[in-house]
Amino acid sequence: IGSIFYALLISSVSFVMANMNIGKRNLSEEVLKINDYAKSKQIPKKLKSKMRDFFRIQYADGQLYVDDDVLSNLPPNLSDEIHYFLKKQYIEIIPAFNKPDSAESLVFRLSAALATRAFFDRQIVVHEDSAATEMYFIASGLVEVLTKHRQFMVKVLADGCYFGD
């Protein structure tokens, strides 16, 4: 009995250790896919580097999970509630949704519609005169708001700010 218990303990510990780094392994696999894809499509090195940087920034903590893959198997109301939990720090900074009378189901569905996007240095996010079709929340980094012809910087937005509303 003692040797069976010992064998079970060793196999359990091995299983836990093997699965501890699954997120990092997934990230490594994504980077390898990017490298293969870029090579097959003859994508320039600078652009390939941006692709890799995106995944490294996006999944810096080593977790590479697509929320929809996990949450799609749950009932819609539970999935919406989890989306809200994951993104509430962005939803709560909008005054209209931070009121006690805000419809909970609307706020939950809105949070489920939020998608993560990464932008790189000197990349234009939106043009001054374009119609607002998206709203952006800054999770980390800085955004410079420039005049139409890039002559003057109007302001700088940082973590926790939003624009496009």
Side-chain angles (χ1 to χ4, degrees):
I1 291 182
S3 59
I4 292 173
F5 177 74
Y6 181 72
L8 286 172
L9 178 66
I10 294 297
S11 67
S12 295
V13 169
S14 298
F15 178 78
V16 169
M17 294 299 287
N19 287 307
M20 280 178 63
N21 292 322
I22 200 165
K24 288 182 182 177
R25 187 171 58 234
N26 288 343
L27 175 58
S28 296
E29 288 173 9
E30 285 299 318
V31 170
L32 287 173
K33 278 196 261 183
I34 288 168
N35 288 338
D36 288 343
Y37 177 82
K39 184 176 180 180
S40 71
K41 300 293 183 180
Q42 299 177 342
I43 293 176
K45 285 183 180 183
K46 188 174 182 179
L47 199 50
K48 182 171 76 171
S49 177
K50 280 186 174 183
M51 292 168 67
R52 282 193 309 258
D53 288 347
F54 166 77
F55 278 98
R56 288 190 180 114
I57 292 167
Q58 188 76 17
Y59 306 106
D61 60 356
Q63 301 300 314
L64 187 58
Y65 303 107
V66 177
D67 291 339
D68 291 336
D69 290 349
V70 176
L71 301 179
S72 64
N73 295 319
L74 298 175
N77 58 335
L78 180 57
S79 176
D80 289 348
E81 191 173 347
I82 292 169
H83 275 292
Y84 174 73
F85 171 77
L86 295 172
K87 299 168 184 169
K88 69 182 175 184
Q89 72 267 26
Y90 306 113
I91 298 293
E92 289 175 347
I93 63 174
I94 304 171
F97 295 120
N98 203 10
K99 296 178 181 176
D101 61 340
S102 294
E104 185 177 85
S105 62
L106 172 65
V107 175
F108 282 0
R109 278 187 253 130
L110 175 65
S111 61
L114 292 177
T116 303
R117 299 203 30 206
F119 295 95
F120 295 96
D121 196 27
R122 304 202 187 290
Q123 186 175 357
I124 296 173
V125 177
V126 65
H127 292 278
E128 184 177 3
D129 293 331
S130 63
T133 58
E134 296 179 305
M135 187 171 183
Y136 299 90
F137 298 88
I138 304 170
S140 66
L142 299 173
V143 173
E144 292 179 344
V145 179
L146 305 172
T147 60
K148 191 173 189 176
H149 301 289
R150 293 182 164 210
Q151 295 172 344
F152 303 102
M153 182 172 25
V154 178
K155 65 173 123 175
V156 176
L157 304 174
D159 301 2
C161 294
Y162 62 94
F163 62 97
D165 49 330

